[in-house]
Amino acid sequence: MSVTAPAGFRAAGVVAGLKPSGRPDVAVVVNDGPLDTAAGVFTRNRVQAAPVQWSRQVLADGRLRAVVLNSGGANACTGPAGFADTHRCAEHTAALLGIGAGELAVCSTGLIGVRLPMELLLAGVDKAVAEASVTGAGAAAEAICTTDTVSKQAVCAAEGVTVGGMAKGAAMLAPTLATMLVVVTTDAVVDPPTADRLLRDACRTTFERVDSDGCMSTNDTVLLLASGASGVSVAAETLGGLVTDTCADLAGQLVADAEGSTKTIAITVTGAAGEQDALEVGRAVARCNLLKCALYGNDPNWGRVLAAVGTTRAAFEPDALDVAINGVWVCRGGAPGEPRELVDLAGREVSIRIDLHAGATELTVWTNDLTDGYVYENSAYST
Amino acid sequence: MSVTAPAGFRAAGVVAGLKPSGRPDVAVVVNDGPLDTAAGVFTRNRVQAAPVQWSRQVLADGRLRAVVLNSGGANACTGPAGFADTHRCAEHTAALLGIGAGELAVCSTGLIGVRLPMELLLAGVDKAVAEASVTGAGAAAEAICTTDTVSKQAVCAAEGVTVGGMAKGAAMLAPTLATMLVVVTTDAVVDPPTADRLLRDACRTTFERVDSDGCMSTNDTVLLLASGASGVSVAAETLGGLVTDTCADLAGQLVADAEGSTKTIAITVTGAAGEQDALEVGRAVARCNLLKCALYGNDPNWGRVLAAVGTTRAAFEPDALDVAINGVWVCRGGAPGEPRELVDLAGREVSIRIDLHAGATELTVWTNDLTDGYVYENSAYST
């Protein structure tokens, strides 16, 4: 169900022929109201795809009636002609739905630097709008996939309101492995400023703590649409909790399906002086190619963890650092601790715990191992 | 010849048995004077190996009589016991040479977090000191190799002075793929403050512009030793030019032999507002795993170049960016330019040219592709 689990939403996913594989590639999510509250969080990359530029603009008033999404082409680095393509797609979709183009967000994912085949895309939109229904969430989630091996969907509910979500990609808002697109829906009654705050808070502690390969997409988009169709208004913290839980669920699915990965690595930084320090350390470790290769080879190479921590400005003393891998404290006081042979790295889940002994803050950043599968997928992506 | 090409130097490389492979693993470089001028540049990693801590201290007065180096163990993250090992190695070597331990630098490379087998190391030092000669440079360069497939040596000379150098590793002072150790020697007459300035300048535009995999070692060390044995004092610019040329030669050899690489990638940033901007852009592109995988697959994926540029704070307008790959301007004004099919990526050398159109600064950063060979070497390194 995902995005159509909350009352007031229809969705569809269809084959438009944008992907050479012939798999579904165009989706719509329609909010039938009564409310049209919406919020969005976008990539921080300064090179932004045409659909990101468009969706930012139309979201300025905190209102959306629908989203049209396509895989098979990112429409990024396509210049003014690419922006005109996004505009045309929005106008076309809005006309079919009887709404204004300014009430509709556009999301695209796929190759950068290539124009979209507009006739195929618009014909696909015709089909998707015609098919949009309360049972279309699964098809929509399928249609936004690129290198994803499974579609990502989640639903949370409490106190009479429901939150649903779908996602594609395998990473995050700032750095990302492939473009991350996320649509979260709810039937709660909520105003635009609150929706904006709740979505930003949810992203900060979920998608923004996944860093699969340190790369930042030109197209990352997370949208929240609220229909108000439940007629129920819950406390902001309650709705925020549901939105965060939905995003956390989807973020977990993204990292579990990252390109070529064989490990899901949870890097927990503890004893940090503050959130900024903890995040900087977590990300530095998450981006260490040498460590990610070692973990792929089931090698608990904690020296590479310390070398990555040492590149940060966080508060810590090198000879006070402790590191545990899968529960074994292999490094104590910056020197060897328990025997590394005790570490069992056979499974997919890897936990790395780094104690900075510099404060009371703890948080977790998620990443993946670096594998020949990743190299293969990303060297063959466009050829 | 390399480090023994300048007059006043002896060197040796021997098998001490630190490496399971039985390849040479201990080297010495001895400066017989008359001068003992020296300078050093070290890793900026806050987690620093014992030999780095030692060598920093003994170099405070700008004087060195010798360097002892070992592969087969980095002596990093080994705590106070590891520092005592370095101290003991320095005392032992100095006694053999009839100098003070404070006149001797120590360099180590290999696995992090493991103590050195001291009896083997000290017996190796005995052998190396006994064998040190003016023909020992090649053996010394061999003995510091780890995953290097060839040893790295260079010689430059002008106006009666000679500069020689050896290096191991495949990267740089800040980020590095594996530890980089470099010893540069000269018979020029030069004082410590000048030597320090010339070495720092040389590193800034050579080793510090190589970024093979974005990782920063705990052990990186570049040493310059001047014997004054030529009796010749040349202008500082002349000597600086020779030192820089020697470092540039060695840096080129490092990037040509980077772990698992099939491409040497020169990223030239032009039209930058300043050196800081140009460096930030060059490094961001050099660290983009997605781009490095694409180039491994002979895919001129310029969109990934733009996506990396977009993560920086450099001055530029996204719709003014031009990108050429191997001479073909595949991106003009942030949008598609010449057909990507024109780009020939068959050879090892790849040139990426990025014009920011924001100023007059140009510089080049060097990196490698990301390959399954890199993944293999770094997942199997310690296991």
Side-chain angles (χ1 to χ4, degrees), chain B residues 17-61:
Chain B
L18 309 179
K19 286 177 179 164
S21 65
R23 292 181 59 198
D25 43 19
V26 169
V28 293
V29 178
V30 183
N31 178 0
D32 289 319
L35 297 185
D36 59 358
T37 295
V41 173
F42 301 93
T43 180
R44 291 193 208 95
N45 201 310
R46 290 170 60 196
V47 174
Q48 304 201 333
V52 170
Q53 295 175 36
W54 172 269
S55 298
R56 246 185 221 290
Q57 283 177 24
V58 300
L59 255 170
D61 63 357

Side-chain angles (χ1 to χ4, degrees), chain B residues 316-330:
Chain B
F316 71 84
E317 290 302 322
D319 58 5
L321 294 171
D322 295 337
V323 177
I325 301 181
N326 280 0
V328 180
W329 289 93
V330 282

Side-chain angles (χ1 to χ4, degrees), chain B residues 82-148:
Chain B
F83 189 82
D85 289 343
T86 288
H87 190 165
R88 188 171 160 213
C89 175
E91 293 276 7
H92 183 89
T93 312
L96 292 171
L97 291 168
I99 61 175
E103 299 177 283
L104 183 129
V106 181
C107 299
S108 300
T109 178
L111 262 185
I112 303 181
V114 181
R115 294 277 300 279
L116 290 169
M118 288 305 291
E119 301 317 314
L120 290 175
L121 173 60
L122 299 185
V125 169
D126 291 345
K127 218 159 93 179
V129 169
E131 290 184 14
S133 77
V134 295
T135 59
E142 282 290 339
I144 60 174
C145 290
T146 54
T147 55
D148 308 69

Side-chain angles (χ1 to χ4, degrees), chain A residues 266-365:
Chain A
I267 301 159
T268 300
V269 182
T270 184
E275 183 172 324
Q276 222 22 66
D277 275 18
L279 253 184
E280 187 184 353
V281 169
R283 287 204 180 153
V285 175
R287 291 183 187 181
C288 177
N289 279 350
L290 288 173
L291 175 67
K292 290 151 74 95
C293 287
L295 292 173
Y296 173 49
N298 293 341
D299 170 11
N301 198 322
W302 59 267
R304 292 175 179 175
V305 176
L306 257 65
V309 174
T311 67
T312 71
R313 295 153 301 179
F316 70 85
E317 290 302 323
D319 57 6
L321 294 171
D322 295 338
V323 177
I325 302 181
N326 280 358
V328 180
W329 289 94
V330 282
C331 170
R332 284 285 193 193
E338 303 302 318
R340 48 191 290 149
E341 291 71 27
L342 294 177
V343 179
D344 180 1
L345 284 168
R348 180 175 176 97
E349 307 298 323
V350 177
S351 100
I352 298 178
R353 208 168 170 86
I354 302 159
D355 193 338
L356 299 180
H357 290 289
T361 302
E362 173 174 320
L363 60 76
T364 300
V365 171

Side-chain angles (χ1 to χ4, degrees), chain A residues 45-46 299 304 307 310 314 382, chain B residues 45-46 299 304 307 310 314 378 382:
Chain A
N45 201 311
R46 290 170 60 196
D299 170 11
R304 292 175 179 175
S382 77
Chain B
N45 201 310
R46 290 170 60 196
D299 169 11
R304 292 176 180 176
N378 287 296
S382 78

Side-chain angles (χ1 to χ4, degrees), chain A residues 44-47 77-79 111-113 176-177 213 215-216 218 288-290 293-294 296-297 299 301-304 306-307 310-316 318 321 334-336 340 370-372 374-375 378-379 381-383, chain B residues 44-47 77-79 111-113 176-177 213 215-216 218 288-290 293-294 296-297 299 301-304 306-307 310-316 318 321 334-336 340 370-372 374-375 378-379 381-383:
Chain A
R44 290 192 208 97
N45 201 311
R46 290 170 60 196
V47 174
C77 306
T78 44
L111 262 186
I112 304 182
T176 177
L177 181 138
D213 71 351
C215 296
M216 192 193 287
T218 51
C288 177
N289 279 350
L290 288 173
C293 287
Y296 173 49
D299 170 11
N301 198 322
W302 59 267
R304 292 175 179 175
L306 257 65
T311 67
T312 71
R313 295 153 301 179
F316 70 85
L321 294 171
R340 48 191 290 149
L370 178 55
T371 71
D372 44 11
Y374 175 87
V375 171
N378 287 295
S379 59
Y381 188 82
S382 77
T383 50
Chain B
R44 291 193 208 95
N45 201 310
R46 290 170 60 196
V47 174
C77 306
T78 44
L111 262 185
I112 303 181
T176 178
L177 180 138
D213 71 351
C215 295
M216 192 193 288
T218 51
C288 177
N289 279 350
L290 287 172
C293 287
Y296 172 49
D299 169 11
N301 197 320
W302 59 267
R304 292 176 180 176
L306 257 65
T311 66
T312 72
R313 295 153 301 178
F316 71 84
L321 294 171
R340 47 191 290 148
L370 178 55
T371 71
D372 42 12
Y374 175 86
V375 171
N378 287 296
S379 58
Y381 188 83
S382 78
T383 49

